Amino acid sequence: MSALSVEGLTRRFGDLVAVKDVTFDVPAGGVVGFVGPNGSGKSTTIRMLLGLIKPSGGTGTVLGEPIEHPERFADRVGALIESPAFVGGLTGRDNLRSLAALRGLPRARVDEVLAIVGLAGRENDKASTYSLGMKQRLGLAAALLPDPELLVLDEPTNGLDPAGIVEIRELLRSWASGGRTVVVSSHLLGEIQAIVDNLVVIRFGELMYAGSLEGLMAEAAERVVAAPEAAADMPRLVEVVEAQGWTCEVSGDELIIHVPAQQSAEVGRVAGGAGVTLRMLNPEADTLETVFLRMTGTSDAELSEQRRAQRQGQGS
């Protein structure tokens, strides 16, 4: 059974088509990433799937049930959409107790989810005293209350420090390992790449890709970036690289060599054998962010300049 399935899903707001004829299928189990530029239609798609807004056209199912009848799957779904809202005058625990009572869930579940998200010890503090990261954890705890088969999260690591991001990443992977499905919408593509099994990529309301992360990253390219210590050695470096049958291009004071990253040592030996001393030898591979940017219209020249700026920033 699919966790999510949509066919021809469309949503219009007046003359604006926010989601246009989107069709995809997400298998049950694992972590699914919803990615796309701001205003791409990710949140609108998620809201239609959860029954929060009605589609203008098309159909869909959640856990095998039609999206026109969210009451049939609501008790099997947990969601954290945008910034969570809580009663500031109540403690974290009391906020969750109120939500549990509304959904007819056992009170014992409250302390379980507080421990899961790392709020044990702060559960009796008023929500108004929580930091942004703590409020995000409380929102995640609220989404976990029903022990859902499907967990839908919009920017779940918003406001968290690096250690907190790692903790949430491990939590989501663990949650999905038992056959559950986690849908994560995020602009942090590095985090998405670290946790997802499948991806749905949307741009300007249109579907760009739906499938496995492995399938998308098959389009990733590798390269070796080298820079001679003496600028005058660049022509000689180009000569010996091309003599190996490798394609390359000069970018500023760097040479981009289009070979697998694992051949970086071989590049170093070739340069040394020609009497060229390198000040930099850097194996690189496209990340999800690079593949995504290329998919959404960024040129190879722009990507090359971005990578160059990143290398210079890391070296400063």
Side-chain angles (χ1 to χ4, degrees), residues 244 246 262-272 281:
Q244 297 293 315
W246 301 331
Q262 63 185 18
Q263 288 187 240
S264 60
E266 186 177 352
V267 172
R269 285 192 293 269
V270 168
L281 184 63

Side-chain angles (χ1 to χ4, degrees), residues 28-76:
V31 183
V32 182
F34 264 67
V35 298
N38 288 335
S40 62
K42 302 188 304 297
S43 295
T44 300
T45 301
I46 288 174
R47 289 176 177 276
M48 285 190 284
L49 288 169
L50 295 178
L52 299 176
I53 58 176
K54 292 182 178 180
S56 304
T59 60
T61 62
V62 174
L63 300 176
E65 300 291 346
I67 58 176
E68 293 83 3
H69 296 282
E71 71 280 2
R72 297 183 185 178
F73 57 77
D75 61 346
R76 301 156 63 195

Side-chain angles (χ1 to χ4, degrees), residues 162-219:
I165 290 174
V166 172
E167 288 178 15
I168 296 302
R169 179 201 304 169
E170 293 175 350
L171 168 62
L172 298 183
R173 288 299 311 170
S174 173
W175 192 260
S177 65
R180 300 180 179 92
T181 306
V182 179
V183 174
V184 181
S185 173
S186 177
H187 69 282
L188 298 175
L189 297 184
E191 287 305 312
I192 287 288
Q193 185 172 1
I195 63 172
V196 302
D197 303 292
N198 294 281
L199 281 166
V200 175
V201 182
I202 299 177
R203 178 175 182 257
F204 302 144
E206 297 187 8
L207 182 71
M208 303 292 293
Y209 176 84
S212 69
L213 174 63
E214 181 181 1
L216 181 59
M217 294 308 293
E219 302 298 321

